[in-house]
Amino acid sequence: MLQLVALGASNVQLADTLGLSIHTVKKHLARLLLKLKVESRSEAARRYRDSISSRLAAPAAAAPPAKAKPFDVLTTREWDVLARIASGANNQRIASDLALSLNTVKRHTTSIYSKLGVRSRVRAAALLHASTNALP
């Protein structure tokens, strides 16, 4: 379940993939967050990716040449917001950290999703994480 959450799967996708009801997925997800001592799916996904990264710290084979990264289109402020999303912060925390209004954070988040072609914070964070792991 945690791997699917880290990949950005919604509750409906989790239910379909695991053959569970939405209610059961919600219960398992709540228990998972409790066991990991995190408050959000984003934090759980980050913790999972961090554990995978540490296990895969062995030298990797040469990667194919990288294409232009989708992050090149983000503004500096969108980068600030995305970094905090990837760390598991919610919109209110991001607004507080960056001295922005909640609506401004929501607009930046929507813009980030659009530019990266994703629909959730977890997918945006996963894309950022995958991109930073691919860097030399």
Side-chain angles (χ1 to χ4, degrees):
M1 179 175 270
L2 183 55
Q3 181 182 18
L4 293 172
V5 168
L7 292 171
S10 67
N11 285 355
V12 171
Q13 291 167 326
L14 289 170
D16 289 344
T17 302
L18 300 173
L20 303 171
S21 70
I22 296 290
H23 177 74
T24 303
V25 166
K26 288 179 182 179
K27 286 173 70 174
H28 283 304
L29 191 54
R31 286 188 194 129
L32 178 67
L33 297 179
L34 187 64
K35 286 182 180 182
L36 291 174
K37 298 179 183 170
V38 297
E39 295 182 19
S40 69
R41 294 168 78 108
S42 296
E43 288 177 277
R46 181 182 47 80
R47 179 105 27 113
Y48 173 78
R49 288 189 303 271
D50 289 348
S51 72
I52 294 298
S53 294
S54 65
R55 283 188 245 157
L56 299 176
K67 297 178 182 176
K69 294 176 180 56
F71 302 105
D72 295 342
V73 298
L74 298 180
T75 66
T76 302
R77 188 53 103 183
E78 289 169 344
W79 265 108
D80 294 340
V81 171
L82 179 58
R84 283 164 176 78
I85 287 172
S87 72
N90 64 24
N91 285 351
Q92 288 183 335
R93 177 60 187 246
I94 295 169
S96 174
D97 287 352
L98 298 177
L100 299 171
S101 75
L102 187 57
N103 284 335
T104 300
V105 172
K106 289 177 183 179
R107 280 195 303 275
H108 283 311
T109 302
T110 300
S111 178
I112 291 166
Y113 294 172
S114 174
K115 290 177 179 182
L116 298 181
V118 298
R119 289 191 250 170
S120 73
R121 343 174 50 80
V122 174
R123 286 201 190 263
L127 189 59
L128 176 63
H129 181 75
S131 173
T132 56
N133 278 346
L135 297 176

